[in-house]
Amino acid sequence: MKNLIILLKREFKMFFTNTTLLMTFFLAPVIYAVMLASVYKSGKTTELPVVVVDRDNSPMSTQVIEMLNDNEGIEVIKVLAESNDVQSEMIERQATAVVVIPDRFEADVLTAKHPELMIYVNTVNMLTANFASKSVQTSLGTLSAGIEIKGLQKRGMPGYSAVDKYEPFKQNYVRVFNETGNYFSFMWPPMMAVVLQQVILLAMAVSIAYEVEKNTFGIGIVKKTKSALVTVFVKVFPLWVLSIPVILIFYGFHHFFNAPIPAHPMNFIGISALFIVSATLLGTVISALIPNALKATQILMLMSAPGFIIGGYTWPTFAMAKPIQLLADILPLTPFVNAFKLLLMEGASVHQVQPYLLQLALQIACYSVLSLLLVKWRIKKEEKALLVKN
């Protein structure tokens, strides 16, 4: 017990005397939290630039332009009388969409010839393209309905009958969970999980590998304990403790930036604990396997860097190649962010996220066994090295 306390004190001292690691572990999460919040704080894009090519120049085409401008999601930045190259206009004016109103638009509408408006959408960025498309469709759909109803009224149909004829049935769309479609609420919380995994793996990468590289593992650890279990515990326990203030910092930022708050904090704490344990044990496996701190860091960063992309949070894992799915399954981030999304955004119960909890538990079991075996192997190597020196 005495040696365990001595080793734990040693680990905490090593952590707090490593300025680079200290700043990375505590300062990086704060910087990323503020930076990412500043990027996504508005929650949705507004006033996306739209160019209108008005070949009709009539009162009705002017009404089309006014309807587009009334939508907060888009802004008509330029009205042209003619354009022979829509794509060039889109590039030069950095427009998200170009709306082309044909010649004789008003005349054809009034004579029921059903003219066509051409809407060109820049789909390079799918996010802004979707926002712009929705805004344009809403504006033009509203105008189209109004024109149709007025036309029916001019032909002698009562107002209520005209509305019923145009809309034979109603559609009610009810947004649930993220009611406002806020992109900040969707993106910011999981990005904080990405940052937490990165700093934990970075810290664990140098935990054993650095000591082996500097020849302090044998003198500092092996001479005091031959137990792989004690060694693993000594290496991971400080990060378990030091992750608590990082989690509290993130929780504080949730309040500060008006991000979603977990409805059941204990569920959030429980799954965060499993995530941290799994991440530290994965870091221990790589750190014990690779005796070079730089290489261990590179391997862990290469494994975790694409974690958010392949984790199934923004793109379904079933649509990915099998090797990518396997890589995603071994990363603690994958089950954590998916369970976190359900708990935070959708108010799910623990029972409803049970598959992700079981996945984290399985990861912990596998990484525990691997870390114990590898650390035991590393201890034996250090014992032999110490015998040779003596």
Side-chain angles (χ1 to χ4, degrees):
M1 187 64 182
K2 182 180 178 181
N3 282 342
L4 177 62
I5 295 172
I6 292 171
L7 289 171
L8 285 173
K9 286 182 178 179
R10 177 179 177 271
E11 287 298 318
F12 277 105
K13 183 179 179 181
M14 287 176 60
F15 183 92
F16 284 104
T17 53
N18 189 328
T19 308
T20 303
L21 187 57
L22 194 63
M23 291 182 65
T24 301
F25 199 81
F26 289 113
L27 189 59
V30 174
I31 293 173
Y32 276 105
V34 174
M35 181 178 68
L36 292 170
S38 300
V39 171
Y40 296 117
K41 190 65 182 75
S42 63
K44 58 182 179 180
T45 56
T46 58
E47 298 181 350
L48 292 169
V50 172
V51 171
V52 176
V53 179
D54 185 3
R55 292 171 177 164
D56 191 43
N57 193 25
S58 64
M60 190 169 289
S61 67
T62 301
Q63 192 176 359
V64 170
I65 297 169
E66 289 175 351
M67 286 293 292
L68 292 172
N69 260 329
D70 286 342
N71 192 305
E72 66 172 1
I74 53 179
E75 179 186 7
V76 178
I77 59 170
K78 187 70 176 178
V79 178
L80 303 173
E82 185 56 74
S83 176
N84 295 321
D85 192 343
V86 171
Q87 293 183 7
S88 292
E89 292 292 345
M90 194 175 284
I91 295 170
E92 289 175 11
R93 304 183 191 279
Q94 297 184 349
T96 311
V98 176
V99 178
V100 179
I101 304 173
D103 186 28
R104 293 188 53 77
F105 172 69
E106 182 177 61
D108 288 346
V109 168
L110 295 176
T111 54
K113 291 183 178 179
H114 304 290
E116 292 185 357
L117 293 179
M118 295 299 296
I119 297 98
Y120 300 86
V121 182
N122 185 343
T123 53
V124 170
N125 185 328
M126 293 300 297
L127 180 66
T128 55
N130 288 336
F131 277 120
S133 296
K134 182 179 178 181
S135 296
V136 171
Q137 288 172 3
T138 300
S139 297
L140 297 182
T142 302
L143 179 61
S144 178
I147 292 173
E148 179 68 21
I149 291 170
K150 283 184 178 178
L152 292 172
Q153 288 177 315
K154 286 182 179 179
R155 291 196 288 272
M157 185 177 291
Y160 64 88
S161 298
V163 173
D164 289 341
K165 184 175 177 60
Y166 181 79
E167 190 179 38
F169 64 91
K170 294 185 180 295
Q171 306 168 64
N172 293 319
Y173 292 91
V174 181
R175 290 187 174 187
V176 294
F177 306 129
N178 187 4
E179 292 87 353
T180 61
N182 191 297
Y183 203 67
F184 169 76
S185 299
F186 174 70
M187 285 295 293
W188 189 78
M191 291 304 294
M192 294 302 95
V194 173
V195 172
L196 181 58
Q197 177 177 265
Q198 292 283 54
V199 296
I200 287 175
L201 292 179
L202 179 62
M204 291 308 304
V206 299
S207 179
I208 296 176
Y210 181 80
E211 289 209 62
V212 172
E213 191 177 9
K214 297 298 181 182
N215 297 316
T216 60
F217 185 71
I219 300 171
I221 300 288
V222 178
K223 278 194 171 183
K224 291 183 175 61
T225 181
K226 304 294 189 297
S227 170
L229 180 61
V230 171
T231 303
V232 171
F233 178 76
V234 164
K235 288 297 181 182
V236 299
F237 182 74
L239 284 185
W240 293 354
V241 174
L242 295 171
S243 294
I244 294 173
V246 178
I247 293 290
L248 292 175
I249 289 170
F250 287 160
Y251 191 77
F253 277 128
H254 272 262
H255 285 278
F256 184 79
F257 292 118
N258 294 319
I261 303 295
H264 305 287
M266 292 307 299
N267 294 343
F268 168 74
I269 292 170
I271 193 171
S272 297
L274 291 175
F275 169 63
I276 291 167
V277 171
S278 181
T280 51
L281 289 171
L282 172 61
T284 304
V285 169
I286 302 300
S287 188
L289 183 63
I290 309 297
N292 182 282
L294 179 59
K295 287 182 179 178
T297 302
Q298 290 172 338
I299 290 171
L300 284 169
M301 291 302 100
L302 285 172
M303 287 177 61
S304 63
F308 182 71
I309 299 172
I310 66 176
Y313 190 83
T314 58
W315 185 262
T317 52
F318 64 78
M320 301 177 191
K322 288 295 181 183
I324 300 300
Q325 292 183 35
L326 293 174
L327 175 60
D329 286 340
I330 68 173
L331 294 175
L333 184 69
T334 301
F336 176 71
V337 294
N338 285 288
F340 189 57
K341 175 177 66 175
L342 291 171
L343 291 171
L344 183 69
M345 301 290 293
E346 302 179 24
S349 65
V350 173
H351 176 72
Q352 290 170 315
V353 298
Q354 190 175 28
Y356 300 115
L357 297 178
L358 291 175
Q359 186 177 350
L360 280 170
L362 181 61
Q363 287 179 350
I364 290 171
C366 292
Y367 297 150
S368 295
V369 172
L370 286 173
S371 61
L372 288 171
L373 292 173
L374 288 169
V375 168
K376 187 66 178 178
W377 167 70
R378 183 61 65 188
I379 288 173
K380 287 182 177 181
K381 288 193 68 173
E382 290 300 321
E383 283 181 312
K384 290 179 181 179
L386 289 172
L387 286 173
V388 171
K389 287 182 181 179
N390 294 332

